Short mmCIF file of all heavy atoms in Angstrom, two decimals:
data_model
loop_
_atom_site.label_atom_id
_atom_site.label_comp_id
_atom_site.label_asym_id
_atom_site.label_seq_id
_atom_site.Cartn_x
_atom_site.Cartn_y
_atom_site.Cartn_z
N MET A 1 9.88 256.20 46.54
CA MET A 1 10.72 255.51 47.50
C MET A 1 11.59 254.51 46.74
O MET A 1 11.11 253.79 45.89
CB MET A 1 9.83 254.81 48.53
CG MET A 1 10.61 254.06 49.56
SD MET A 1 9.67 253.56 51.01
CE MET A 1 8.31 252.68 50.32
N LYS A 2 12.84 254.49 47.08
CA LYS A 2 13.77 253.53 46.47
C LYS A 2 13.91 252.34 47.41
O LYS A 2 13.55 252.41 48.58
CB LYS A 2 15.12 254.19 46.23
CG LYS A 2 15.06 255.31 45.22
CD LYS A 2 16.42 255.91 45.00
CE LYS A 2 16.28 257.06 44.00
NZ LYS A 2 17.52 257.77 43.78
N ASN A 3 14.48 251.27 46.87
CA ASN A 3 14.70 250.10 47.72
C ASN A 3 15.91 249.31 47.24
O ASN A 3 16.39 249.51 46.13
CB ASN A 3 13.44 249.22 47.76
CG ASN A 3 13.15 248.57 46.44
OD1 ASN A 3 13.83 247.63 46.04
ND2 ASN A 3 12.13 249.05 45.74
N ARG A 4 16.37 248.44 48.11
CA ARG A 4 17.54 247.61 47.83
C ARG A 4 17.15 246.14 47.68
O ARG A 4 17.98 245.25 47.81
CB ARG A 4 18.55 247.75 48.97
CG ARG A 4 19.07 249.15 49.17
CD ARG A 4 20.03 249.26 50.34
NE ARG A 4 21.09 248.28 50.25
CZ ARG A 4 21.56 247.59 51.29
NH1 ARG A 4 21.08 247.77 52.49
NH2 ARG A 4 22.53 246.71 51.13
N ILE A 5 15.89 245.87 47.37
CA ILE A 5 15.40 244.50 47.35
C ILE A 5 16.17 243.64 46.35
O ILE A 5 16.63 242.55 46.69
CB ILE A 5 13.90 244.45 47.07
CG1 ILE A 5 13.15 245.04 48.25
CG2 ILE A 5 13.44 243.02 46.81
CD1 ILE A 5 11.66 245.18 48.05
N LYS A 6 16.33 244.12 45.13
CA LYS A 6 17.02 243.31 44.13
C LYS A 6 18.45 242.99 44.58
O LYS A 6 18.89 241.84 44.50
CB LYS A 6 17.04 244.02 42.78
CG LYS A 6 17.66 243.19 41.68
CD LYS A 6 17.55 243.85 40.34
CE LYS A 6 18.15 242.95 39.28
NZ LYS A 6 18.05 243.55 37.94
N GLU A 7 19.13 243.99 45.08
CA GLU A 7 20.51 243.80 45.57
C GLU A 7 20.56 242.77 46.70
O GLU A 7 21.37 241.83 46.68
CB GLU A 7 21.04 245.15 46.07
CG GLU A 7 22.33 245.10 46.83
CD GLU A 7 22.63 246.41 47.54
OE1 GLU A 7 22.03 247.45 47.20
OE2 GLU A 7 23.49 246.39 48.44
N LEU A 8 19.68 242.91 47.68
CA LEU A 8 19.66 241.99 48.81
C LEU A 8 19.23 240.59 48.40
O LEU A 8 19.77 239.59 48.87
CB LEU A 8 18.73 242.53 49.90
CG LEU A 8 19.17 243.85 50.54
CD1 LEU A 8 18.05 244.43 51.40
CD2 LEU A 8 20.44 243.67 51.34
N ARG A 9 18.28 240.53 47.48
CA ARG A 9 17.79 239.25 46.99
C ARG A 9 18.91 238.50 46.26
O ARG A 9 19.12 237.31 46.48
CB ARG A 9 16.60 239.51 46.05
CG ARG A 9 15.77 238.33 45.72
CD ARG A 9 14.54 238.72 44.93
NE ARG A 9 14.77 239.57 43.77
CZ ARG A 9 15.35 239.18 42.65
NH1 ARG A 9 15.76 237.94 42.51
NH2 ARG A 9 15.52 240.02 41.65
N GLU A 10 19.65 239.21 45.43
CA GLU A 10 20.75 238.59 44.68
C GLU A 10 21.89 238.17 45.61
O GLU A 10 22.53 237.15 45.37
CB GLU A 10 21.23 239.52 43.58
CG GLU A 10 20.20 239.64 42.46
CD GLU A 10 20.58 240.63 41.38
OE1 GLU A 10 21.53 241.43 41.59
OE2 GLU A 10 19.92 240.61 40.33
N GLU A 11 22.17 238.96 46.65
CA GLU A 11 23.21 238.59 47.62
C GLU A 11 22.91 237.23 48.26
O GLU A 11 23.82 236.47 48.55
CB GLU A 11 23.29 239.62 48.76
CG GLU A 11 24.06 240.86 48.44
CD GLU A 11 24.07 241.84 49.62
OE1 GLU A 11 23.65 241.47 50.74
OE2 GLU A 11 24.49 242.99 49.40
N GLN A 12 21.63 236.96 48.48
CA GLN A 12 21.24 235.72 49.14
C GLN A 12 20.75 234.65 48.15
O GLN A 12 20.25 233.61 48.57
CB GLN A 12 20.15 236.01 50.17
CG GLN A 12 20.66 236.89 51.29
CD GLN A 12 19.64 237.05 52.41
OE1 GLN A 12 18.69 236.30 52.52
NE2 GLN A 12 19.86 238.04 53.25
N SER A 13 20.92 234.93 46.86
CA SER A 13 20.53 233.99 45.80
C SER A 13 19.07 233.55 45.93
O SER A 13 18.74 232.37 45.83
CB SER A 13 21.44 232.76 45.79
OG SER A 13 22.77 233.14 45.57
N ILE A 14 18.20 234.52 46.17
CA ILE A 14 16.77 234.25 46.26
C ILE A 14 16.11 234.75 44.98
O ILE A 14 16.26 235.92 44.61
CB ILE A 14 16.14 234.96 47.48
CG1 ILE A 14 16.78 234.47 48.78
CG2 ILE A 14 14.63 234.76 47.52
CD1 ILE A 14 16.36 235.24 50.01
N SER A 15 15.37 233.90 44.32
CA SER A 15 14.67 234.31 43.10
C SER A 15 13.44 235.14 43.47
O SER A 15 12.95 235.09 44.60
CB SER A 15 14.23 233.08 42.30
OG SER A 15 13.20 232.39 42.98
N GLN A 16 12.94 235.88 42.48
CA GLN A 16 11.72 236.64 42.71
C GLN A 16 10.57 235.70 43.06
O GLN A 16 9.76 236.00 43.93
CB GLN A 16 11.35 237.45 41.46
CG GLN A 16 12.30 238.58 41.19
CD GLN A 16 12.02 239.26 39.86
OE1 GLN A 16 11.54 238.63 38.93
NE2 GLN A 16 12.35 240.53 39.78
N GLU A 17 10.52 234.56 42.39
CA GLU A 17 9.46 233.58 42.63
C GLU A 17 9.52 233.05 44.06
O GLU A 17 8.50 232.97 44.76
CB GLU A 17 9.57 232.43 41.64
CG GLU A 17 8.48 231.40 41.76
CD GLU A 17 7.09 231.95 41.44
OE1 GLU A 17 6.97 232.78 40.53
OE2 GLU A 17 6.13 231.54 42.13
N LYS A 18 10.71 232.70 44.52
CA LYS A 18 10.86 232.17 45.88
C LYS A 18 10.50 233.24 46.91
O LYS A 18 9.81 232.95 47.90
CB LYS A 18 12.29 231.68 46.11
CG LYS A 18 12.51 231.09 47.48
CD LYS A 18 13.91 230.54 47.66
CE LYS A 18 14.09 229.97 49.05
NZ LYS A 18 15.45 229.47 49.27
N MET A 19 10.94 234.46 46.67
CA MET A 19 10.63 235.54 47.60
C MET A 19 9.12 235.77 47.65
O MET A 19 8.55 235.93 48.73
CB MET A 19 11.34 236.83 47.16
CG MET A 19 11.12 237.98 48.08
SD MET A 19 12.09 239.41 47.55
CE MET A 19 11.47 240.61 48.69
N ALA A 20 8.48 235.75 46.50
CA ALA A 20 7.03 235.93 46.44
C ALA A 20 6.31 234.85 47.22
O ALA A 20 5.38 235.13 47.99
CB ALA A 20 6.57 235.95 44.99
N ARG A 21 6.75 233.61 47.06
CA ARG A 21 6.13 232.50 47.80
C ARG A 21 6.30 232.68 49.31
O ARG A 21 5.37 232.46 50.08
CB ARG A 21 6.73 231.16 47.36
CG ARG A 21 6.14 230.61 46.09
CD ARG A 21 6.50 229.14 45.89
NE ARG A 21 7.91 228.85 46.11
CZ ARG A 21 8.84 228.81 45.15
NH1 ARG A 21 8.51 229.02 43.90
NH2 ARG A 21 10.09 228.53 45.45
N GLN A 22 7.51 233.08 49.73
CA GLN A 22 7.78 233.25 51.16
C GLN A 22 6.93 234.36 51.77
O GLN A 22 6.59 234.31 52.95
CB GLN A 22 9.27 233.54 51.39
CG GLN A 22 10.15 232.34 51.13
CD GLN A 22 11.63 232.67 51.26
OE1 GLN A 22 12.09 233.71 50.84
NE2 GLN A 22 12.37 231.74 51.85
N LEU A 23 6.61 235.37 50.96
CA LEU A 23 5.85 236.52 51.46
C LEU A 23 4.35 236.41 51.15
O LEU A 23 3.58 237.30 51.51
CB LEU A 23 6.40 237.82 50.86
CG LEU A 23 7.84 238.15 51.25
CD1 LEU A 23 8.36 239.30 50.40
CD2 LEU A 23 7.94 238.47 52.73
N ASN A 24 3.99 235.34 50.46
CA ASN A 24 2.60 235.12 50.08
C ASN A 24 2.03 236.25 49.22
O ASN A 24 0.93 236.75 49.46
CB ASN A 24 1.73 234.90 51.33
CG ASN A 24 0.43 234.21 51.00
OD1 ASN A 24 0.36 233.43 50.05
ND2 ASN A 24 -0.59 234.48 51.78
N VAL A 25 2.84 236.68 48.25
CA VAL A 25 2.42 237.67 47.25
C VAL A 25 2.78 237.14 45.87
O VAL A 25 3.44 236.10 45.75
CB VAL A 25 3.11 239.06 47.47
CG1 VAL A 25 2.73 239.63 48.83
CG2 VAL A 25 4.62 238.97 47.33
N SER A 26 2.37 237.83 44.83
CA SER A 26 2.69 237.39 43.47
C SER A 26 4.11 237.83 43.09
O SER A 26 4.65 238.78 43.66
CB SER A 26 1.69 237.97 42.47
OG SER A 26 1.88 239.37 42.34
N ARG A 27 4.66 237.14 42.12
CA ARG A 27 5.97 237.52 41.59
C ARG A 27 5.88 238.93 41.00
O ARG A 27 6.81 239.72 41.11
CB ARG A 27 6.42 236.52 40.53
CG ARG A 27 7.78 236.83 39.95
CD ARG A 27 8.25 235.70 39.02
NE ARG A 27 9.39 236.14 38.25
CZ ARG A 27 9.31 236.63 37.01
NH1 ARG A 27 8.15 236.72 36.40
NH2 ARG A 27 10.38 237.03 36.38
N GLN A 28 4.75 239.24 40.38
CA GLN A 28 4.55 240.57 39.80
C GLN A 28 4.64 241.66 40.87
O GLN A 28 5.14 242.75 40.62
CB GLN A 28 3.21 240.64 39.07
CG GLN A 28 3.01 241.92 38.28
CD GLN A 28 4.07 242.12 37.21
OE1 GLN A 28 4.42 241.20 36.49
NE2 GLN A 28 4.60 243.33 37.12
N THR A 29 4.17 241.36 42.07
CA THR A 29 4.27 242.32 43.17
C THR A 29 5.73 242.59 43.50
O THR A 29 6.13 243.75 43.66
CB THR A 29 3.53 241.80 44.42
OG1 THR A 29 2.15 241.66 44.10
CG2 THR A 29 3.70 242.73 45.62
N ILE A 30 6.54 241.55 43.55
CA ILE A 30 7.98 241.72 43.82
C ILE A 30 8.62 242.55 42.72
O ILE A 30 9.40 243.48 43.00
CB ILE A 30 8.68 240.35 43.96
CG1 ILE A 30 8.06 239.52 45.09
CG2 ILE A 30 10.19 240.54 44.16
CD1 ILE A 30 8.07 240.17 46.46
N ILE A 31 8.30 242.25 41.48
CA ILE A 31 8.85 243.01 40.35
C ILE A 31 8.48 244.49 40.47
O ILE A 31 9.33 245.37 40.31
CB ILE A 31 8.35 242.43 39.01
CG1 ILE A 31 8.95 241.04 38.79
CG2 ILE A 31 8.69 243.36 37.84
CD1 ILE A 31 8.29 240.26 37.65
N SER A 32 7.21 244.77 40.75
CA SER A 32 6.74 246.15 40.85
C SER A 32 7.41 246.90 42.00
O SER A 32 7.76 248.08 41.86
CB SER A 32 5.23 246.19 41.02
OG SER A 32 4.59 245.70 39.86
N ILE A 33 7.60 246.24 43.12
CA ILE A 33 8.28 246.87 44.25
C ILE A 33 9.73 247.15 43.89
O ILE A 33 10.24 248.25 44.12
CB ILE A 33 8.18 246.01 45.52
CG1 ILE A 33 6.73 245.89 45.99
CG2 ILE A 33 9.05 246.60 46.65
CD1 ILE A 33 6.51 244.87 47.09
N GLU A 34 10.41 246.15 43.32
CA GLU A 34 11.83 246.33 42.95
C GLU A 34 12.01 247.51 41.99
O GLU A 34 12.98 248.24 42.10
CB GLU A 34 12.37 245.07 42.28
CG GLU A 34 12.71 243.96 43.23
CD GLU A 34 13.37 242.78 42.56
OE1 GLU A 34 13.62 242.81 41.34
OE2 GLU A 34 13.65 241.79 43.27
N LYS A 35 11.09 247.68 41.06
CA LYS A 35 11.20 248.74 40.06
C LYS A 35 10.70 250.08 40.56
O LYS A 35 10.75 251.07 39.85
CB LYS A 35 10.45 248.35 38.79
CG LYS A 35 11.12 247.19 38.07
CD LYS A 35 10.47 246.89 36.75
CE LYS A 35 11.27 245.80 36.05
NZ LYS A 35 10.87 245.64 34.66
N GLY A 36 10.20 250.11 41.79
CA GLY A 36 9.74 251.37 42.37
C GLY A 36 8.38 251.81 41.86
O GLY A 36 7.98 252.96 42.04
N ARG A 37 7.64 250.91 41.22
CA ARG A 37 6.32 251.25 40.71
C ARG A 37 5.23 251.04 41.76
O ARG A 37 4.11 251.49 41.58
CB ARG A 37 5.99 250.41 39.47
CG ARG A 37 6.78 250.83 38.26
CD ARG A 37 6.34 250.07 37.05
NE ARG A 37 7.04 248.79 37.07
CZ ARG A 37 6.75 247.77 36.31
NH1 ARG A 37 5.76 247.83 35.45
NH2 ARG A 37 7.45 246.65 36.39
N TYR A 38 5.56 250.35 42.82
CA TYR A 38 4.59 250.05 43.87
C TYR A 38 5.29 250.11 45.22
O TYR A 38 6.34 249.52 45.40
CB TYR A 38 4.01 248.64 43.62
CG TYR A 38 3.13 248.12 44.72
CD1 TYR A 38 1.86 248.65 44.93
CD2 TYR A 38 3.56 247.11 45.57
CE1 TYR A 38 1.04 248.17 45.95
CE2 TYR A 38 2.75 246.61 46.58
CZ TYR A 38 1.50 247.16 46.77
OH TYR A 38 0.70 246.68 47.76
N ASN A 39 4.68 250.85 46.15
CA ASN A 39 5.20 250.90 47.51
C ASN A 39 4.41 249.90 48.35
O ASN A 39 3.18 249.96 48.39
CB ASN A 39 5.06 252.30 48.10
CG ASN A 39 6.02 253.28 47.47
OD1 ASN A 39 7.08 252.91 47.00
ND2 ASN A 39 5.62 254.54 47.46
N PRO A 40 5.11 249.00 49.01
CA PRO A 40 4.40 247.98 49.80
C PRO A 40 3.73 248.58 51.02
O PRO A 40 4.13 249.65 51.50
CB PRO A 40 5.51 247.02 50.19
CG PRO A 40 6.73 247.87 50.24
CD PRO A 40 6.56 248.87 49.13
N SER A 41 2.75 247.87 51.53
CA SER A 41 2.14 248.27 52.80
C SER A 41 3.20 248.15 53.89
O SER A 41 4.22 247.47 53.71
CB SER A 41 0.97 247.34 53.11
OG SER A 41 1.44 246.02 53.33
N LEU A 42 2.95 248.78 55.00
CA LEU A 42 3.90 248.70 56.11
C LEU A 42 4.11 247.26 56.58
O LEU A 42 5.26 246.84 56.76
CB LEU A 42 3.45 249.59 57.27
CG LEU A 42 4.38 249.63 58.48
CD1 LEU A 42 5.80 250.04 58.08
CD2 LEU A 42 3.82 250.58 59.52
N PRO A 43 3.04 246.46 56.74
CA PRO A 43 3.28 245.07 57.15
C PRO A 43 4.14 244.30 56.14
O PRO A 43 5.03 243.55 56.54
CB PRO A 43 1.87 244.47 57.26
CG PRO A 43 1.00 245.64 57.55
CD PRO A 43 1.60 246.78 56.77
N LEU A 44 3.89 244.51 54.84
CA LEU A 44 4.70 243.81 53.84
C LEU A 44 6.14 244.31 53.86
O LEU A 44 7.08 243.52 53.76
CB LEU A 44 4.08 243.98 52.44
CG LEU A 44 4.83 243.29 51.30
CD1 LEU A 44 5.02 241.79 51.57
CD2 LEU A 44 4.09 243.52 49.98
N ALA A 45 6.33 245.61 54.01
CA ALA A 45 7.69 246.16 54.09
C ALA A 45 8.43 245.56 55.28
O ALA A 45 9.62 245.22 55.18
CB ALA A 45 7.64 247.68 54.21
N MET A 46 7.74 245.38 56.39
CA MET A 46 8.37 244.78 57.57
C MET A 46 8.70 243.31 57.33
O MET A 46 9.76 242.84 57.75
CB MET A 46 7.47 244.97 58.79
CG MET A 46 7.34 246.43 59.19
SD MET A 46 6.17 246.71 60.51
CE MET A 46 7.15 246.19 61.90
N GLN A 47 7.81 242.60 56.64
CA GLN A 47 8.09 241.20 56.32
C GLN A 47 9.29 241.09 55.38
O GLN A 47 10.12 240.18 55.54
CB GLN A 47 6.87 240.55 55.66
CG GLN A 47 5.73 240.33 56.58
CD GLN A 47 4.52 239.78 55.84
OE1 GLN A 47 4.21 240.19 54.73
NE2 GLN A 47 3.83 238.85 56.47
N ILE A 48 9.39 241.99 54.41
CA ILE A 48 10.52 241.98 53.49
C ILE A 48 11.82 242.23 54.25
O ILE A 48 12.81 241.51 54.07
CB ILE A 48 10.33 243.03 52.37
CG1 ILE A 48 9.18 242.60 51.44
CG2 ILE A 48 11.62 243.24 51.59
CD1 ILE A 48 8.70 243.68 50.48
N ALA A 49 11.81 243.23 55.12
CA ALA A 49 13.01 243.53 55.92
C ALA A 49 13.40 242.32 56.77
O ALA A 49 14.58 241.96 56.85
CB ALA A 49 12.76 244.76 56.79
N ARG A 50 12.42 241.70 57.39
CA ARG A 50 12.68 240.53 58.24
C ARG A 50 13.26 239.38 57.41
O ARG A 50 14.15 238.68 57.87
CB ARG A 50 11.38 240.10 58.92
CG ARG A 50 11.59 239.03 59.97
CD ARG A 50 10.32 238.74 60.74
NE ARG A 50 9.95 239.91 61.53
CZ ARG A 50 8.69 240.24 61.80
NH1 ARG A 50 7.69 239.51 61.37
NH2 ARG A 50 8.44 241.31 62.53
N LEU A 51 12.75 239.20 56.18
CA LEU A 51 13.26 238.15 55.30
C LEU A 51 14.76 238.29 55.07
O LEU A 51 15.49 237.31 55.02
CB LEU A 51 12.51 238.20 53.96
CG LEU A 51 12.92 237.19 52.90
CD1 LEU A 51 12.50 235.78 53.31
CD2 LEU A 51 12.31 237.55 51.56
N PHE A 52 15.22 239.54 54.96
CA PHE A 52 16.65 239.80 54.73
C PHE A 52 17.42 240.07 56.02
O PHE A 52 18.60 240.42 55.97
CB PHE A 52 16.81 240.99 53.77
CG PHE A 52 16.28 240.73 52.40
CD1 PHE A 52 15.26 241.51 51.88
CD2 PHE A 52 16.78 239.70 51.63
CE1 PHE A 52 14.76 241.27 50.61
CE2 PHE A 52 16.29 239.45 50.36
CZ PHE A 52 15.27 240.24 49.85
N ASN A 53 16.75 239.93 57.16
CA ASN A 53 17.38 240.19 58.45
C ASN A 53 17.94 241.62 58.51
O ASN A 53 19.07 241.83 58.95
CB ASN A 53 18.46 239.15 58.76
CG ASN A 53 18.79 239.09 60.23
OD1 ASN A 53 17.96 239.39 61.08
ND2 ASN A 53 20.01 238.71 60.54
N ARG A 54 17.14 242.56 58.03
CA ARG A 54 17.51 243.98 58.01
C ARG A 54 16.39 244.80 58.61
O ARG A 54 15.28 244.31 58.78
CB ARG A 54 17.71 244.46 56.55
CG ARG A 54 18.70 243.69 55.72
CD ARG A 54 20.10 244.00 56.15
NE ARG A 54 21.05 243.21 55.37
CZ ARG A 54 22.06 243.73 54.70
NH1 ARG A 54 22.27 245.02 54.69
NH2 ARG A 54 22.89 242.93 54.05
N THR A 55 16.69 246.06 58.88
CA THR A 55 15.63 246.98 59.30
C THR A 55 14.92 247.50 58.05
O THR A 55 15.48 247.45 56.93
CB THR A 55 16.20 248.18 60.08
OG1 THR A 55 17.04 248.95 59.20
CG2 THR A 55 16.99 247.72 61.30
N VAL A 56 13.73 248.02 58.23
CA VAL A 56 12.99 248.59 57.11
C VAL A 56 13.82 249.70 56.46
O VAL A 56 13.87 249.81 55.23
CB VAL A 56 11.61 249.12 57.58
CG1 VAL A 56 10.92 249.90 56.47
CG2 VAL A 56 10.73 247.97 58.04
N GLU A 57 14.49 250.50 57.28
CA GLU A 57 15.30 251.61 56.77
C GLU A 57 16.50 251.14 55.96
O GLU A 57 17.02 251.89 55.13
CB GLU A 57 15.77 252.51 57.92
CG GLU A 57 14.67 253.27 58.61
CD GLU A 57 13.96 252.45 59.70
OE1 GLU A 57 14.31 251.26 59.93
OE2 GLU A 57 13.05 253.01 60.32
N GLU A 58 16.98 249.93 56.21
CA GLU A 58 18.09 249.39 55.43
C GLU A 58 17.63 248.86 54.07
O GLU A 58 18.44 248.74 53.17
CB GLU A 58 18.78 248.26 56.19
CG GLU A 58 19.57 248.72 57.40
CD GLU A 58 20.14 247.57 58.21
OE1 GLU A 58 19.37 246.65 58.56
OE2 GLU A 58 21.35 247.59 58.47
N VAL A 59 16.36 248.58 53.95
CA VAL A 59 15.82 248.05 52.69
C VAL A 59 15.18 249.15 51.85
O VAL A 59 15.36 249.20 50.64
CB VAL A 59 14.79 246.93 52.96
CG1 VAL A 59 14.20 246.40 51.67
CG2 VAL A 59 15.42 245.80 53.77
N PHE A 60 14.45 250.05 52.50
CA PHE A 60 13.72 251.11 51.80
C PHE A 60 14.31 252.46 52.11
O PHE A 60 14.57 252.78 53.27
CB PHE A 60 12.24 251.07 52.20
CG PHE A 60 11.57 249.79 51.81
CD1 PHE A 60 11.47 248.73 52.71
CD2 PHE A 60 11.06 249.62 50.53
CE1 PHE A 60 10.87 247.54 52.35
CE2 PHE A 60 10.46 248.42 50.16
CZ PHE A 60 10.37 247.38 51.06
N ILE A 61 14.49 253.29 51.07
CA ILE A 61 15.11 254.60 51.21
C ILE A 61 14.13 255.65 50.74
O ILE A 61 13.65 255.60 49.60
CB ILE A 61 16.41 254.69 50.37
CG1 ILE A 61 17.41 253.62 50.82
CG2 ILE A 61 17.04 256.06 50.46
CD1 ILE A 61 17.42 252.39 49.98
N LEU A 62 13.83 256.62 51.61
CA LEU A 62 12.94 257.71 51.23
C LEU A 62 13.66 258.70 50.33
O LEU A 62 14.78 259.11 50.61
CB LEU A 62 12.43 258.44 52.47
CG LEU A 62 11.42 257.71 53.34
CD1 LEU A 62 11.11 258.54 54.58
CD2 LEU A 62 10.16 257.41 52.58
N ASP A 63 13.00 259.10 49.26
CA ASP A 63 13.50 260.16 48.38
C ASP A 63 13.11 261.50 48.98
O ASP A 63 12.21 261.58 49.82
CB ASP A 63 12.86 260.07 46.99
CG ASP A 63 13.28 258.85 46.21
OD1 ASP A 63 14.27 258.20 46.60
OD2 ASP A 63 12.64 258.56 45.19
N ASP A 64 13.74 262.56 48.49
CA ASP A 64 13.34 263.90 48.92
C ASP A 64 11.87 264.14 48.59
O ASP A 64 11.16 264.80 49.35
CB ASP A 64 14.22 264.96 48.25
CG ASP A 64 15.64 264.97 48.78
OD1 ASP A 64 15.85 264.49 49.92
OD2 ASP A 64 16.54 265.45 48.08
N GLU A 65 11.40 263.61 47.46
CA GLU A 65 10.01 263.76 47.06
C GLU A 65 9.07 263.15 48.09
O GLU A 65 7.97 263.64 48.30
CB GLU A 65 9.76 263.11 45.71
CG GLU A 65 10.49 263.76 44.57
CD GLU A 65 10.35 262.96 43.27
OE1 GLU A 65 9.64 261.95 43.25
OE2 GLU A 65 10.97 263.38 42.29
N ASP A 66 9.50 262.05 48.71
CA ASP A 66 8.68 261.39 49.70
C ASP A 66 8.52 262.23 50.96
O ASP A 66 7.57 262.02 51.72
CB ASP A 66 9.27 260.02 50.09
CG ASP A 66 9.33 259.07 48.92
OD1 ASP A 66 8.38 259.05 48.12
OD2 ASP A 66 10.33 258.34 48.81
N MET A 67 9.44 263.12 51.19
CA MET A 67 9.44 263.93 52.41
C MET A 67 8.54 265.17 52.27
O MET A 67 8.27 265.82 53.25
CB MET A 67 10.86 264.36 52.76
CG MET A 67 11.83 263.19 52.99
SD MET A 67 11.29 262.05 54.27
CE MET A 67 11.71 263.01 55.70
N GLU A 68 8.12 265.48 51.07
CA GLU A 68 7.29 266.69 50.84
C GLU A 68 5.84 266.43 51.09
O GLU A 68 5.31 265.42 50.95
CB GLU A 68 7.50 267.21 49.41
CG GLU A 68 8.92 267.66 49.19
CD GLU A 68 9.17 268.08 47.75
OE1 GLU A 68 8.27 267.94 46.89
OE2 GLU A 68 10.28 268.55 47.48
#
């Protein structure tokens, strides 16, 4: 699954550290999600989308591989 977290975070000038604090996760978790190495739980994905005032679908993009 791909995501637009880094792009959205930079648009709003939010650091990884600040985002992690707001979501009550580690900075390493944010890094792993941004790099596509970790898919967040549904509740965390919803919190991330809410943080950016977007829908989950606007933040996270399913790959063809995810659909198989």
Side-chain angles (χ1 to χ4, degrees):
M1 180 165 54
K2 296 181 181 176
N3 68 73
R4 299 178 52 221
I5 292 174
K6 184 175 182 179
E7 169 192 343
L8 296 169
R9 194 173 50 71
E10 289 176 347
E11 279 179 11
Q12 295 187 17
S13 300
I14 299 172
S15 69
Q16 290 173 331
E17 183 64 37
K18 181 177 179 182
M19 183 176 173
R21 279 195 313 265
Q22 290 176 320
L23 297 170
N24 200 30
V25 299
S26 70
R27 182 173 167 264
Q28 188 59 44
T29 298
I30 301 303
I31 292 168
S32 294
I33 295 170
E34 282 186 2
K35 292 186 175 192
R37 288 185 277 168
Y38 172 72
N39 289 332
S41 65
L42 182 56
L44 180 55
M46 293 174 78
Q47 289 176 321
I48 291 168
R50 189 174 294 148
L51 179 70
F52 295 119
N53 200 28
R54 305 287 178 126
T55 65
V56 172
E57 292 84 359
E58 289 175 308
V59 179
F60 297 94
I61 301 98
L62 288 176
D63 292 345
D64 289 338
E65 295 173 3
D66 297 320
M67 300 303 283
E68 296 176 356

